């Protein structure tokens, strides 16, 4: 389950960012996960709950924003849903596309932190 290593990396990076901003605890981490990123959101959520114990994110929740896979059709000048499994043919003009616009994201989008006590 590679989601555990992803969750661990999210926790480590969120902790670094929070500490750099002077926070001592993180209450939530928002991540953007693309439809084609190869990450199962439920498995990532479970892995996050396991990996957060004993860290500054022990009480934090994970918020997953799922990003749909979308491609661009140059002949039609339109964006279309790729789906899963991905299908890169424009539904309007029946031409193939190699211009994937979204769906591979795996990134921290935001962190909710508590300020450090004085």
């Amino acid at each position: 389950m590679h989601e555990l290593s992803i969750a661990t990396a999210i926790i480590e990076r969120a902790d670094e960012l929070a500490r750099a901003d002077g926070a001592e605890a993180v209450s939530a981490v928002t991540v953007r996960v693309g439809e084609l990123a190869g990450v199962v959101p439920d498995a990532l959520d479970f892995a996050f709950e396991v990996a957060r114990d004993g860290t500054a994110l022990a009480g934090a929740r994970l918020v997953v924003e799922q990003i749909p896979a979308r491609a661009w059709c140059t002949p039609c000048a339109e964006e279309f849903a790729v789906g899963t499994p991905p299908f890169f043919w424009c539904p309007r003009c029946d031409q193939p596309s190699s211009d994937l616009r979204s769906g591979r994201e795996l990134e921290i989008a935001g962190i909710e932190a508590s300020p450090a006590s004085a």
Side-chain angles (χ1 to χ4, degrees):
M1 177 164 104
H2 72 285
E3 282 83 359
L4 184 57
S5 61
I6 293 168
T8 301
I10 290 169
I11 290 165
E12 289 171 358
R13 184 65 181 141
D15 185 42
E16 289 171 11
L17 293 170
R19 288 183 192 281
D21 281 345
E24 66 180 23
V26 174
S27 57
V29 179
T30 302
V31 294
R32 296 170 33 102
V33 178
E35 185 176 16
L36 303 177
V39 175
V40 178
D42 288 341
L44 180 60
D45 190 49
F46 176 77
F48 184 85
E49 287 184 20
V50 170
R52 71 183 180 182
D53 288 344
T55 73
L57 282 82
R61 61 186 168 81
L62 181 67
V63 178
V64 177
E65 293 178 1
Q66 295 183 326
I67 308 300
R70 302 202 49 88
W72 178 258
C73 177
T74 301
C76 289
E78 280 196 33
E79 198 174 80
F80 63 93
V82 173
T84 304
F87 188 70
F88 292 95
W89 287 87
C90 176
R92 183 172 178 199
C93 71
D94 200 33
Q95 295 294 311
S97 173
S98 61
D99 188 358
L100 185 64
R101 294 282 171 103
S102 66
R104 287 186 266 186
E105 298 84 355
L106 180 55
E107 60 195 11
I108 295 174
I111 298 169
E112 290 178 27
S114 307
S117 15

